[in-house]
Amino acid sequence: MTFRSTVGHEGFALQESLLDALAGSSDIVTFIPASFGAVWTEEMLQKPAAQAFHEPYDRLSAKAKDLNVGFTEIRAGLFLDFTFMAG
């Protein structure tokens, strides 16, 4: 089974609690976090706004790995150009 989160930006950090709950499940194959799926380049990640936006994803990914919970990110690049004027 796949668990897909759809929280908004304000609730993103709460997904760490979801990982704690999912860690005990033998039915969950992968967790798909709520995100806009930005495809980041190293150059973009040098900008403070991008770092602040991306850091929670890094933390969530690391926690999933520590808890041995499957973790799948879907990156479609939605809103990246609009938000950070990259392109």
Side-chain angles (χ1 to χ4, degrees):
M1 180 185 331
T2 299
F3 187 89
R4 171 72 165 107
S5 175
T6 58
V7 298
H9 181 71
E10 293 80 17
F12 191 83
L14 298 174
Q15 293 180 112
E16 291 189 48
S17 297
L18 289 174
L19 286 175
D20 291 328
L22 296 174
S25 174
S26 60
D27 294 331
I28 300 297
V29 174
T30 193
F31 172 66
I32 302 173
S35 73
F36 288 109
V39 180
W40 302 96
T41 66
E42 289 301 318
E43 182 180 348
M44 289 177 200
L45 289 174
Q46 300 305 311
K47 298 177 183 180
Q51 290 172 1
F53 196 82
H54 193 265
E55 188 273 331
Y57 295 102
D58 289 339
R59 195 173 60 244
L60 196 64
S61 176
K63 183 167 186 165
K65 185 175 182 177
D66 288 345
L67 294 174
N68 201 30
V69 173
F71 190 84
T72 302
E73 289 184 85
I74 298 174
R75 297 182 180 198
L78 187 61
F79 300 122
L80 183 62
D81 289 342
F82 177 76
T83 305
F84 294 105
M85 302 302 177

